Amino acid sequence: MDLSEIWGTVFSFEDYAEILPLVSNSLVAGALLGLVGGMIGIFVMLRDMAFAVHGIAELSFAGAAFALLIGSNVVFGSLVGSVLASLVLGLMGAAAKDRNSIIGVLMPFGLGLGILFLALYQGRSANKFGLLTGQIVAVDTVQLGLLAVCSVIVLVALVAMWRPLTFISVDPAVAAARGVPAGRLSVAFMVVLGLAVALSIQVVGALLVLSLLITPAAAAIRVATNPVVTVGLSVVFAMTSVVGGILLALAGSLPISPYVTTISFLIYLVCRLIAWSRDRVRHSETLAAQAA
Amino acid sequence: MAASTQPAPTAAPIHAPEPVVKLRNAALRFGDRLLWDGLDLDIAPGEFLAVLGPNGSGKTTMLRTLMGLQELSSGTVNVAGKPATRGSRLVGTIPQQRSFDDNTPLRARDLVALGIDGHKWGIRLKRKAMRKRVDELLELVGATAYAERPVGVLSGGEQQRLRAAQALADNPRLLLCDEPLLSLDLHHQQAVSSLIHRQACDHGAAVVFVTHEINPILQYVDRVLYLAGGRFHVGTPEEVMRSEVLSELYGSPIEVFESNGRIVVVGMPETVNHAHPHQGA
């Protein structure tokens, strides 16, 4: 395969207009998931739970692989896996230190189970690969319905918990004094996070969920401090990554996840650059002020 | 550890008004470790009570009791005439200074706003009214200049002013402070403690101020509650900060001097002889 052939595999816009209507389902799902990922990512950052997201994703993968093996609904299997994992983490690992060790134990176990189920599975190998690296273009109307319902549940729950969850995440001492039930909120958040992880796996796969649940929020936090702006940017970044990734993937014959991860990574890089140059300006202004 | 300055106010205030805090025969123990027992204490409106004692003597636990986060082993605790309950709007809290992560996506004003309505469900809807309220509070504590700055870049002293703004938001009847001056420079220590004192004298709030170091607040303190080794002593600073009293509380010889308006305590043991020390307060 020479370079131009590789390029042709990555990007080829022939027949683009004909393909586009066929994937409108995926685009809707992608936009919804961008909204979910961008919003919940802020809390993942605030609560320092990147590792938990990764751990839940591997158990979600095990659930999905099992569903695939027994010929059941893969989205459903992945939801069951991640909600179970997040309940275990939410109930057992209240302290960050405990949580990380529990995740470290659960994660390889989940991944191992998933690989076992896939090894036993006799069907198309593309299905297997899709669980790890994303498969949204294959979303049918039934699955789209399930995705949409779960997304709405996640969004409603997040909006309902927004203020007290922010409070216990950034300011636990005062929140406790104000009577905010931190324990129950944390468990509730874990369950919601589990749902969001299961949804994201349908787009980017179990290995790459962080690109949807962490990267956009991390990028937004770099450039904004106004909370409303931060959430808005995070959502825009996540949606751009998913929808842009799907559109670009149509032009080639590759899975969509490399496009999604690359876009979200580039956005993150740009945000870091902006933050860096702003800090430099601020720093030199401070120095100038001190010199004056 | 050293403690206090200046001739402090005279005797305990006369308890004509209904006390804000009423502890009756209060006891607290964790397993076989006794923090205090038989504690009867009334704190009047406008009274400034300093709570002193070594680590693990139950100072912070005392605050948690008043917040309704910790149940007494026996006895009763009333705040404003009712049993202490968590999340009471009559109680404001200023915690120890704890740095925020550099990248916390909150500005100074957002932190204050959370202190006002962070316990409510959903997202904030009346943004304009809240903005006005927060502006007033920032002005009150002298934090207007950095209202828009991210909390992660603020100094400890600046953050504690925001804590004061949060705590004063509901014009509390009882203000609980857990070592609010720890790790602040002298200038901010004075600013924050005078804010707290103002709430007591202008608005009649009762203040319970947990501290290791009485000197920065000595001029405001009406009474001292000294906890050590499962025992306690209550009285004016002159009554409590004496060699005999502290020696008896700690069970080892301690000397208290007054020097230049400051109280200096010499011979403070690393541990207390009577209880199981160093278990965290």
Side-chain angles (χ1 to χ4, degrees):
Chain A
M1 202 185 247
D2 64 20
L3 259 183
S4 70
E5 262 180 89
I6 292 178
W7 186 250
T9 318
V10 180
F11 294 110
S12 121
F13 288 90
E14 292 166 38
D15 311 326
Y16 200 75
E18 285 146 55
I19 301 173
L20 202 50
L22 302 177
V23 296
S24 58
N25 269 359
S26 318
L27 288 177
V28 172
L32 257 178
L33 294 175
L35 185 59
V36 169
M39 279 173 69
I40 206 163
I42 296 287
F43 288 108
V44 175
M45 291 298 295
L46 281 183
R47 300 176 67 75
D48 197 10
M49 290 180 77
F51 194 43
V53 170
H54 205 43
I56 294 171
E58 307 312 353
L59 275 120
S60 186
F61 161 68
F66 186 69
L68 190 65
L69 178 64
I70 62 171
S72 170
N73 184 329
V74 172
V75 178
F76 186 70
S78 135
L79 281 170
V80 171
S82 55
V83 170
L84 277 180
S86 52
L87 272 178
V88 169
L89 292 183
L91 295 175
M92 289 176 65
K97 212 173 149 192
D98 292 349
R99 198 169 64 213
N100 281 349
S101 62
I102 294 171
I103 296 163
V105 170
L106 281 182
M107 195 165 76
F109 175 65
L111 201 51
L113 271 185
I115 290 170
L116 171 69
F117 298 145
L118 286 190
L120 294 172
Y121 174 67
Q122 300 292 322
R124 282 177 59 223
S125 63
N127 289 347
K128 300 182 185 182
F129 203 53
L131 289 182
L132 285 168
T133 60
Q135 56 179 1
I136 197 169
V137 181
V139 168
D140 61 29
T141 320
V142 178
Q143 284 178 327
L144 182 69
L146 189 54
L147 284 185
V149 169
C150 290
S151 302
V152 170
I153 292 174
V154 170
L155 291 174
V156 169
L158 270 186
V159 168
M161 296 192 287
W162 199 273
R163 253 183 305 183
L165 189 60
T166 310
F167 204 8
I168 63 165
S169 305
V170 297
D171 202 0
V174 177
R178 282 296 195 197
V180 181
R184 274 174 287 162
L185 266 174
S186 303
V187 174
F189 174 71
M190 284 305 284
V191 173
V192 173
L193 181 63
L195 288 179
V197 168
L199 298 177
S200 309
I201 285 178
Q202 313 311 316
V203 189
V204 284
L207 293 179
L208 307 170
V209 281
L210 294 178
S211 69
L212 203 51
L213 294 185
I214 308 279
T215 319
I221 285 173
R222 283 276 154 197
V223 293
T225 44
N226 179 331
V228 179
V229 175
T230 313
V231 175
L233 277 180
S234 175
V235 166
V236 169
F237 293 164
M239 279 184 159
T240 308
S241 307
V242 185
V243 175
I246 294 171
L247 289 176
L248 284 179
L250 290 182
S253 45
L254 297 175
I256 75 152
S257 41
Y259 297 95
V260 176
T261 53
T262 306
I263 296 173
S264 76
F265 180 65
L266 288 178
I267 291 173
Y268 179 75
L269 271 189
V270 169
C271 287
R272 277 211 84 121
L273 272 177
I274 292 170
W276 174 74
S277 66
R278 211 162 49 185
D279 284 351
R280 253 175 41 130
V281 170
R282 206 174 282 161
H283 185 62
S284 60
E285 274 169 3
T286 323
L287 287 182
Q290 279 166 357
Chain B
M1 174 164 125
S4 138
T5 354
Q6 289 163 34
T10 46
I14 302 152
H15 293 174
E18 181 67 12
V20 177
V21 171
K22 215 188 235 177
L23 282 156
R24 284 295 172 270
N25 200 20
L28 193 68
R29 52 181 76 79
F30 292 121
D32 62 348
R33 192 167 70 102
L34 178 71
L35 292 182
W36 67 78
D37 193 3
L39 177 59
D40 291 316
L41 181 66
D42 284 354
I43 309 174
E47 187 176 5
F48 197 118
L49 176 83
V51 182
L52 288 140
N55 287 336
S57 60
K59 302 191 296 293
T60 299
T61 313
M62 161 73 68
L63 291 187
R64 289 177 55 81
T65 306
L66 297 175
M67 287 177 215
L69 295 177
Q70 172 70 52
E71 286 207 22
L72 289 171
S73 308
S74 64
T76 57
V77 53
N78 280 6
V79 173
K82 294 193 199 99
T85 49
R86 57 189 292 170
S88 165
R89 311 312 294 166
L90 301 173
V91 180
T93 321
I94 302 183
Q96 264 177 43
Q97 189 257 327
R98 183 193 68 111
S99 295
F100 290 92
D101 189 72
D102 274 357
N103 287 317
T104 306
L106 289 181
R107 299 160 299 172
R109 62 165 57 259
D110 303 314
L111 186 70
V112 175
L114 271 183
I116 299 172
D117 70 356
H119 59 287
K120 291 185 184 159
W121 294 103
I123 51 175
R124 188 172 298 132
L125 297 173
K126 294 175 181 164
R127 309 192 71 89
K128 258 198 183 145
M130 178 55 85
R131 197 181 167 83
K132 197 165 155 267
R133 182 89 189 89
V134 170
D135 281 339
E136 288 165 8
L137 286 165
L138 289 170
E139 171 112 40
L140 177 73
V141 300
T144 308
Y146 45 87
E148 311 296 328
R149 296 185 62 199
V151 287
V153 306
L154 299 179
S155 74
E158 290 168 332
Q159 288 176 11
Q160 287 306 77
R161 285 182 190 239
L162 301 179
R163 297 308 196 177
Q166 289 182 316
L168 300 183
D170 288 321
N171 193 17
R173 303 269 308 274
L174 173 62
L175 191 52
L176 304 175
C177 312
D178 188 4
E179 309 225 20
L181 308 183
L182 210 64
S183 78
L184 302 196
D185 62 33
L186 200 62
H187 164 72
H188 276 113
Q189 282 191 0
Q190 285 168 351
V192 171
S193 54
S194 99
L195 273 170
I196 293 167
H197 176 240
R198 228 163 56 203
Q199 184 67 16
C201 57
D202 296 356
H203 299 276
V207 174
V208 179
F209 194 110
V210 166
T211 182
H212 267 94
E213 168 67 72
I214 196 175
N215 284 314
I217 53 166
L218 189 59
Q219 53 179 319
Y220 306 126
V221 173
D222 296 316
R223 280 195 297 166
V224 171
L225 167 63
Y226 209 115
L227 302 168
R231 292 181 297 175
F232 61 89
H233 201 100
V234 192
T236 63
E238 293 89 342
E239 286 165 3
V240 177
M241 303 308 287
R242 286 189 300 142
S243 303
E244 306 89 87
V245 173
L246 294 194
S247 298
E248 198 214 317
L249 273 176
Y250 279 90
S252 64
I254 289 175
E255 299 227 43
V256 181
F257 300 102
E258 234 192 278
S259 149
N260 228 350
R262 292 172 59 83
I263 293 177
V264 181
V265 180
V266 179
M268 194 69 81
E270 288 296 305
T271 60
V272 187
N273 293 338
H274 307 284
H276 309 265
H278 290 302
Q279 308 247 334

